[in-house]
Amino acid sequence: MRLTHLFFCLKEKSQDCMYLQYCKVCQSYKAPRSHHCRKCNRCVMKMDHHCPWINNCCGYQNHASFTLFLLLAPLGCIHASFIFVMTMYTQLYNRISFGWSSVKIDMSAAKRDPRPIIPFGLSAFAASLFALGLALGTTIAVGMLFIIQMKVILTNKTSIESWIEEKAKDRIQYYQTGETFIFPYDMGSKWKNFKQVFTWSGIPEGDGLDWPVRDGCHQYTLTIEQLKQKADKRVRSVRYRAVEDYSGVCCPVTKGVKTFFTTPCTEEPRIALSKGDLILATRGLKHWMYGEKILDSAADGGIRERGWFPRKCVEKCQYDSETDQPVDGEKKNR
């Protein structure tokens, strides 16, 4: 039995359950800062994201190891780039002849002794140049990911929690409630936040269930905000009806050129649609929308189908069938 499931089985009778989110897949309450991963098919403590390169989630137990990997990978690529550059320089130096009017490069053989231990011909030069490009590209890409991870670590957040905080600001501004959302886990000191993840023993502080919080906050401050956002999403969702069939492919060819080339660059799934299906859309792009298909909970066992679908495959329902009132306007795009 999972640790989170065992812990919250003991707390189901307490009043704290009213503040917790319930995972329908794992059939248990989720610990604060935990999220369900569709790829791993489990709830992950302090989940940051699912990384396809390590085929695992980055969360409470391995956040420090993953961040060190993002640091060491660019350093290794920088070292490899230096070797490639020096190799090409030394080999080309032995093959370059400088004339009065031009510079000539002879790739057939070195003109000076000693001869290289490993032959360096045109194919080796092309391979070294290609490897240099890969090394530099990896250095830039992974280095940017390392900077992003350090930013969230120094504020004691995860990538998901940063997104939750942005949505909290959007919710407060939309309804003009005048409230102020304070992220509860930011200790106010970058060094204290850093020590929450990086320790000399390699084991992160805490147990992944209870966390130190700022003054004026408690363990369920972030969870309560998530529940408010879910309720807000249900209120601001818009009902659509499918007018065309959609197979659920990532880049549909038959739905138009713009739909094909503007497919969302995300790991979130697509949902197949049949003509007449009802969907609750919660957000959207110009040519795509994200929402949840309205299913018969009794027949489908409570399974939720959420994902992206082409905007041209649906049309907005003029009236809500449950309330017989016009549906609310679409949520503004971010």
Side-chain angles (χ1 to χ4, degrees):
M1 184 179 292
R2 298 185 183 94
L3 176 61
T4 54
H5 182 72
L6 177 62
F7 177 81
F8 285 101
C9 278
L10 300 176
K11 299 191 69 174
E12 285 187 2
K13 296 181 181 179
S14 68
Q15 295 181 354
D16 293 336
C17 293
M18 64 182 296
Y19 298 118
L20 298 175
Q21 298 184 87
Y22 187 80
C23 180
K24 295 183 179 179
V25 179
C26 297
Q27 296 295 311
S28 65
Y29 289 97
K30 293 189 289 186
R33 311 188 78 178
S34 298
H35 302 276
H36 185 84
C37 177
R38 289 190 295 263
K39 301 295 181 63
C40 297
N41 196 30
R42 66 175 185 270
C43 289
V44 180
M45 293 187 296
K46 196 188 174 186
M47 178 179 173
D48 185 87
H49 69 285
H50 181 89
C51 179
W53 307 111
I54 63 175
N55 193 29
N56 200 358
C57 277
C58 174
Y60 164 71
Q61 291 285 355
N62 62 348
H63 202 174
S65 301
F66 179 78
T67 306
L68 289 175
F69 162 73
L70 296 182
L71 172 64
L72 297 177
L75 293 179
C77 291
I78 292 174
H79 178 249
S81 301
F82 178 78
I83 294 176
F84 289 136
V85 170
M86 295 306 299
T87 299
M88 289 187 292
Y89 171 77
T90 54
Q91 294 298 322
L92 290 176
Y93 182 79
N94 293 331
R95 291 168 169 81
I96 297 177
S97 60
F98 296 91
W100 289 104
S101 59
S102 63
V103 178
K104 296 181 180 180
I105 302 177
D106 183 9
M107 296 298 296
S108 59
K111 295 183 178 181
R112 303 179 184 179
D113 291 328
R115 298 187 62 184
I117 299 176
I118 300 176
F120 191 83
L122 184 60
S123 59
F125 174 76
S128 299
L129 191 62
F130 178 72
L132 176 63
L134 288 180
L136 294 176
T138 303
T139 300
I140 297 173
V142 181
M144 291 179 63
L145 292 177
F146 171 74
I147 294 175
I148 294 173
Q149 283 297 311
M150 286 305 302
K151 285 183 177 180
V152 297
I153 288 176
L154 293 178
T155 54
N156 204 4
K157 301 174 186 175
T158 63
S159 300
I160 296 177
E161 290 170 351
S162 297
W163 174 237
I164 294 174
E165 187 177 29
E166 289 297 321
K167 290 194 293 183
K169 297 176 182 178
D170 177 72
R171 180 185 64 83
I172 294 172
Q173 182 180 7
Y174 185 86
Y175 290 104
Q176 297 293 323
T177 59
E179 59 183 308
T180 301
F181 175 73
I182 301 175
F183 186 76
Y185 305 113
D186 187 356
M187 297 291 98
S189 169
K190 293 183 179 179
W191 175 242
K192 291 181 180 180
N193 294 333
F194 181 83
K195 290 193 299 181
Q196 287 282 317
V197 178
F198 295 94
T199 60
W200 289 110
S201 63
I203 302 175
E205 290 188 1
D207 56 3
L209 302 174
D210 295 316
W211 302 90
V213 295
R214 299 180 61 173
D215 295 336
C217 302
H218 55 84
Q219 288 292 326
Y220 305 113
T221 297
L222 184 65
T223 306
I224 293 174
E225 174 59 33
Q226 289 179 264
L227 294 175
K228 289 181 179 179
Q229 291 180 11
K230 287 187 175 182
D232 174 50
K233 184 169 65 174
R234 288 192 293 268
V235 171
R236 296 165 67 178
S237 61
V238 183
R239 179 171 294 200
Y240 284 82
R241 185 184 302 275
V243 294
E244 297 181 15
D245 293 338
Y246 168 56
S247 61
V249 296
C250 183
C251 301
V253 181
T254 60
K255 302 304 178 183
V257 178
K258 294 182 179 180
T259 303
F260 178 83
F261 285 105
T262 59
T263 181
C265 298
T266 174
E267 293 184 355
E268 293 175 316
R270 275 63 170 170
I271 54 174
L273 299 177
S274 299
K275 191 174 181 179
D277 287 343
L278 294 176
I279 309 100
L280 282 178
T282 56
R283 51 193 166 100
L285 303 174
K286 186 175 182 180
H287 300 288
W288 289 82
M289 302 188 72
Y290 183 91
E292 179 179 348
K293 187 186 295 186
I294 302 176
L295 302 173
D296 184 1
S297 58
D300 297 283
I303 299 176
R304 303 170 65 183
E305 291 189 24
R306 293 182 296 177
W308 292 91
F309 53 90
R311 186 182 286 268
K312 68 173 300 181
C313 294
V314 296
E315 65 178 8
K316 185 177 178 180
C317 296
Q318 297 299 322
Y319 293 94
D320 193 319
S321 59
E322 296 179 357
T323 61
D324 198 29
Q325 295 294 330
V327 295
D328 295 331
E330 277 190 67
K331 181 178 180 180
K332 58 185 176 182
N333 293 336
R334 292 189 61 83

